[in-house]
Amino acid sequence: MSDQPAPAPYDALLLLSFGGPEGPDDVVPFLENVTRGRGIPRERLKEVGQHYFLFGGVSPINAQNRELLQAIREDFAENGLDLPVYWGNRNWAPYLTDTLRQIAADGHRRVLTLATSAYASYSGCRQYRENLADAIAALTAEGIEPPRVDKLRHYFNHPGFVRPMVDATLAALAQLPEGLRAGAHLAFTTHSIPTAAADTSGPVPAHGDGGAYVAEHLDVARVIADAVREETGAEHPWQLVYQSRSGAPHIPWLEPDICDHLEALHTEGVPAVVMVPIGFVSDHMEVKYDLDTEAAAKAQELGLPVTRAATVGADPRFAAAVRDLVLERAATERGAAPERCALGALGPSHDVCPVGCCPARTPRPAAAGADE
């Protein structure tokens, strides 16, 4: 009997991400993909694309996904997990539909999906499931039998996602002048979303002010802050704050914004701040621009010392967490009851999104859920 880890009934893993431009000529077409159906003029998209043009028209996300792919494949190989790993994006090459077509052509019939979004929300979960449904429908229309696709549970509180962020926060604290470290505040940042989307995030029982989206971030922030206190012996005040708002001014979004928060802390006389982007898997454009450029400029204007913790990226512990999640889900599908790792108070998330979980703005089919 083989002692190798068993991925059955799954025969492939799909890394599903947002995608990003890889050159100046890609920026506007990429933004057209992202905003399709909203009727935004091309000239306005050129203005929005200035963030990308500051970085040569290249988003870091695709390169970071290639690094994560390599880390996952290496971890699988080193641990005897024979499972091919594919990569598809929602908004740029390699496109999800093309990747799913290749998966089908390669003969795979049961696919697990790892989304590069760790938390419950419409844009972080349901929208990925809608894109999967669109890709499946496209293959069916072409006469191709699509594979069955499931989605890994939310991993926001998996030790392999949280522990690297603890270490990154400690490293960012250590970058501050020694005399400022003990009094530094921690600003845990994530993507702002409309309050209406936050309030309906997660399963229906979790709906309410902020929904599962805010609750999950607060739980992870608390775990990290507690671990930092244990490691340093200092109590670092902390708050969950938001960044990267992109909606119309009249629509309420989650607040406070990171730049407003830095101003408030400066007014209070806080000596230094560590920004910890817990809402992001990698250092993509929202991190590089909204934190490393915009928030850093605000801090410099205020004369407030700040550092920024690294995201998880391709940390080997995160790659190992992906393996753990794959084997956990595979064992569950085989009828077993595997140990489900989770830190904090909320416990492990659901495997299958229930009906009413992160509802769509307008009804659309979604794969890998109870409502598909």
Side-chain angles (χ1 to χ4, degrees):
M1 185 174 178
S2 173
D3 59 357
Q4 289 188 337
Y10 297 104
D11 53 15
L13 176 69
L14 167 64
L15 175 66
L16 176 55
S17 194
F18 192 81
E22 299 199 80
D25 293 341
D26 296 345
V27 173
V28 172
F30 162 74
L31 292 173
E32 287 175 334
N33 288 342
V34 173
T35 61
R36 183 177 289 114
R38 300 184 202 172
I40 299 176
R42 189 175 179 87
E43 290 306 311
R44 174 58 182 152
L45 294 180
K46 289 180 181 178
E47 294 175 18
V48 174
Q50 291 307 311
H51 295 182
Y52 292 96
F53 292 127
L54 287 174
F55 296 87
V58 179
S59 168
I61 193 170
N62 278 359
Q64 290 161 4
N65 279 327
R66 292 185 185 101
E67 293 175 6
L68 178 57
L69 271 175
Q70 183 64 23
I72 293 171
R73 286 168 175 159
E74 289 177 358
D75 178 90
F76 283 9
E78 290 168 3
N79 290 278
L81 182 57
D82 184 16
L83 194 71
V85 186
Y86 294 80
W87 169 34
N89 289 325
R90 291 170 46 194
N91 299 297
W92 202 248
Y95 288 103
L96 169 59
T97 301
D98 295 336
T99 300
L100 200 62
R101 188 183 296 111
Q102 185 61 55
I103 289 172
D106 291 345
H108 300 301
R109 305 307 313 150
R110 289 288 301 272
V111 180
L112 262 177
T113 302
L114 168 69
T116 55
S117 178
Y119 300 85
S121 70
Y122 172 78
S123 56
C125 182
R126 171 82 193 196
Q127 196 167 19
Y128 283 88
R129 294 176 48 224
E130 290 176 354
N131 295 142
L132 283 168
D134 291 343
I136 289 169
L139 264 60
T140 301
E142 296 170 10
I144 299 171
E145 183 181 357
R148 172 175 164 179
V149 179
D150 293 330
K151 181 178 176 292
L152 288 172
R153 67 176 171 92
H154 300 301
Y155 47 84
F156 63 92
N157 56 2
H158 193 288
F161 186 70
V162 178
R163 296 298 184 191
M165 289 191 291
V166 172
D167 290 347
T169 305
L170 292 167
L173 272 170
Q175 292 171 15
L176 291 170
E178 187 172 358
L180 302 179
R181 292 174 198 164
H185 283 222
L186 307 179
F188 293 101
T189 76
T190 190
H191 209 300
S192 184
I193 62 175
T195 56
D199 293 346
T200 56
S201 58
V204 172
H207 292 181
D209 290 345
Y213 185 75
V214 171
E216 290 169 359
H217 281 87
L218 286 173
D219 201 43
V220 171
R222 191 172 295 110
V223 169
I224 296 172
D226 287 348
V228 169
R229 184 187 64 249
E230 292 174 9
E231 182 73 22
T232 64
E235 185 76 45
H236 294 278
W238 62 270
Q239 185 170 339
L240 177 63
V241 299
Y242 302 93
Q243 60 175 91
S244 313
R245 176 184 170 136
S246 59
H250 68 281
I251 298 176
W253 283 52
L254 293 173
E255 296 177 337
D257 178 78
I258 177 61
C259 290
D260 294 337
H261 183 59
L262 293 177
E263 285 191 351
L265 293 182
H266 176 64
T267 300
E268 295 169 12
V270 170
V273 179
V274 174
M275 299 183 292
V276 188
I278 59 172
F280 304 90
V281 172
S282 63
D283 285 7
H284 52 70
M285 188 57 69
E286 280 86 351
V287 176
K288 289 293 187 184
Y289 182 80
D290 297 329
L291 294 183
D292 294 352
T293 305
E294 194 171 48
K298 171 57 70 174
Q300 185 174 20
E301 172 192 320
L302 296 168
L304 177 64
V306 298
T307 56
R308 197 264 292 174
T311 51
V312 173
D315 189 292
R317 290 169 291 181
F318 182 44
V322 174
R323 170 170 44 89
D324 179 65
L325 290 166
V326 166
L327 294 175
E328 171 200 293
R329 181 62 182 275
T332 301
E333 290 293 310
R334 296 195 303 269
E339 179 182 359
R340 295 162 62 84
C341 294
L343 300 175
L346 296 181
S349 186
H350 49 264
D351 281 332
V352 178
C353 293
V355 174
C357 189
C358 304
R361 299 162 187 168
T362 55
R364 283 184 58 191
D371 54 354
E372 61 180 290

